[in-house]
Amino acid sequence: MARLSGVSIGTVSRALNGYADVSPDTRERIVRLAEELDYTPSASARTLVTQRSHVVGVFLDTGEGHPDLQHPFFHEVLVGVQETAGQQGFDLLLFATEQPGNGYGRHNYVKRCRHHNVDGVILMGVDHHDEEVRRLTASTIPTIGVDVQLLGGRATSYVSSDNAAGGRLAVDHLAALGHRRIATIHGPTETLAGLDRLKGYREALQEHGLAYRDEYVVQGDFYVDSGHAAAARLLDLEEPPTAIVAASDLMAVGAIRAAAERDLLAPRDLSVIGFDDIMLAAHLQPGLTTLRQDKAGLGAAAARAVLALAGTERGDGAGETAPEPTTLPVELVVRGTTTPPLGG
């Protein structure tokens, strides 16, 4: 291109990268030539020069027994990450969470990030107590968790929904309808979402003067089968609940199926509330009452945070301080699976 345009290689590089010391006529000639030749710069070469890959890595652990990205929550979060990162010229690299090959040896987040020279990384579904996660947050690699409470690292923060508020809103709604026997199918308590939604449930019971009953609290894993099994256990109690707060929409679907198998209908015999407001929730018959998360908003906030930590907004290298954790509000969406209990 330098030979054809009659300028130096350095001038071609400066013109294509938008430097101001290239005349408009020269820039126009070089850009037009690049288009004619269908020129594409080498990503690896640019990375060597700029020390920036323009790639954001994503580690996503969907949980034991769920290796196929089945949960729609993750899909919608990834949409928000992709759109926001893409607007700033970044691509995404979705890492395999299983033991990698290619000579990596034992699983190591830091090694895999540095092998691909990602500018930052987003974690979803991982255990923040994992020793390899701790190594990552102790490194200089910009790292943001989505519903993963990452603290302490100088290039580390996290984004989440107000999960505790969601748990409280669910119980508030059911108590206002007259329910007194309110159970919950909560998520794993080693996760931020599972722990905080359970916390909100407990706080709201206390606020309404309702007893916390151990037999009304059953753990699931955010997927349908665990919701089904947990609801079956609850509905087979000598004094079953009249309402169930599920920590995900998929577990709520499982709970409704368990009720139907016992000739119980939602909401006539059992009120059910989910969490997430996945696309399926509005299309069930009846529609699922749920807590709506801004899932794409979580992804967008995570992307903005990791790019800010990487210094891309200023272009002067890694950010100096980690941003404060971001908490997005949730909204109660009342549809057809909640009603006053039979007999008032």
Side-chain angles (χ1 to χ4, degrees):
M1 286 182 62
R3 179 177 55 82
L4 291 173
S5 59
V7 298
S8 69
I9 293 174
T11 298
V12 171
S13 175
R14 291 196 300 274
L16 293 177
N17 284 283
Y19 284 82
D21 60 348
V22 179
S23 71
D25 288 344
T26 299
R27 186 190 314 280
E28 182 180 353
R29 186 168 72 254
I30 291 170
V31 169
R32 185 169 60 250
L33 181 61
E35 291 174 349
E36 291 173 358
L37 297 176
D38 198 20
Y39 169 75
T40 302
S42 166
S44 58
R46 295 184 71 176
T47 296
L48 286 173
V49 174
T50 65
Q51 293 299 298
R52 182 161 290 160
S53 64
H54 284 82
V55 173
V56 172
V58 177
F59 283 102
L60 171 56
D61 188 345
T62 53
E64 186 176 354
H66 305 286
D68 300 320
L69 288 176
Q70 293 173 345
H71 205 296
F73 168 81
F74 294 124
H75 297 175
E76 296 190 49
V77 173
L78 282 171
V79 168
V81 174
Q82 183 270 331
E83 288 182 349
T84 302
Q87 288 168 2
Q88 296 198 40
F90 281 72
D91 291 318
L92 299 188
L93 172 63
L94 182 61
F95 285 95
T97 52
E98 302 299 320
Q99 184 76 17
N102 300 323
Y104 282 108
R106 190 171 66 87
H107 168 62
N108 184 306
Y109 287 115
V110 173
K111 183 185 296 184
R112 293 165 74 183
C113 287
R114 288 180 174 159
H115 176 81
H116 291 282
N117 197 35
V118 297
D119 291 321
V121 64
I122 294 171
L123 305 183
M124 291 193 285
V126 305
D127 181 0
H128 70 281
H129 295 299
D130 184 338
E131 182 60 32
E132 292 304 327
V133 172
R134 293 180 184 274
R135 292 178 188 274
L136 177 61
T137 58
S139 75
T140 58
I141 300 169
T143 305
I144 297 294
V146 177
D147 273 339
V148 181
Q149 193 172 18
L150 302 178
L151 296 171
R154 67 184 180 91
T156 301
S157 191
Y158 68 94
V159 301
S160 67
S161 295
D162 196 340
N163 294 295
R168 290 192 296 270
L169 284 170
V171 174
D172 289 347
H173 174 62
L174 293 169
L177 291 173
H179 289 275
R180 311 298 292 174
R181 305 200 308 269
I182 304 171
T184 187
I185 305 171
H186 65 89
T189 53
E190 63 269 20
T191 67
L192 181 64
L195 184 63
D196 281 356
R197 291 172 198 178
L198 177 59
K199 177 183 176 183
Y201 163 84
R202 297 187 67 162
E203 290 173 347
L205 287 182
Q206 185 175 12
E207 290 170 3
H208 290 283
L210 302 176
Y212 179 86
R213 300 170 58 165
D214 287 337
E215 68 271 25
Y216 278 7
V217 179
V218 184
Q219 180 171 310
D221 64 3
F222 297 122
Y223 288 84
V224 173
D225 288 347
S226 71
H228 177 268
R233 177 175 161 186
L234 291 167
L235 295 173
D236 289 343
L237 290 171
E238 185 175 337
E239 188 178 35
T242 61
I244 293 176
V245 176
S248 76
D249 289 346
L250 291 186
M251 291 199 299
V253 169
I256 292 171
R257 178 159 62 91
E261 291 169 354
R262 288 157 178 77
D263 294 323
L264 302 174
L265 296 178
R268 185 194 66 190
D269 305 299
L270 178 71
S271 286
V272 179
I273 295 182
F275 207 115
D276 290 333
D277 196 28
I278 61 176
M279 188 179 298
L280 172 67
H283 298 286
L284 294 173
Q285 289 297 327
L288 180 66
T289 297
T290 187
L291 279 305
R292 176 180 292 158
Q293 297 193 79
D294 183 0
K295 297 169 286 298
L298 285 171
R304 286 193 296 269
V306 78
L307 295 180
L309 281 172
T312 60
E313 293 183 352
R314 299 188 310 274
D316 62 353
E320 296 179 358
T321 59
E324 290 296 315
T326 299
T327 302
L328 301 185
V330 299
E331 175 190 358
L332 176 68
V333 180
V334 179
R335 295 193 179 102
T337 56
T338 51
T339 195
L342 282 174

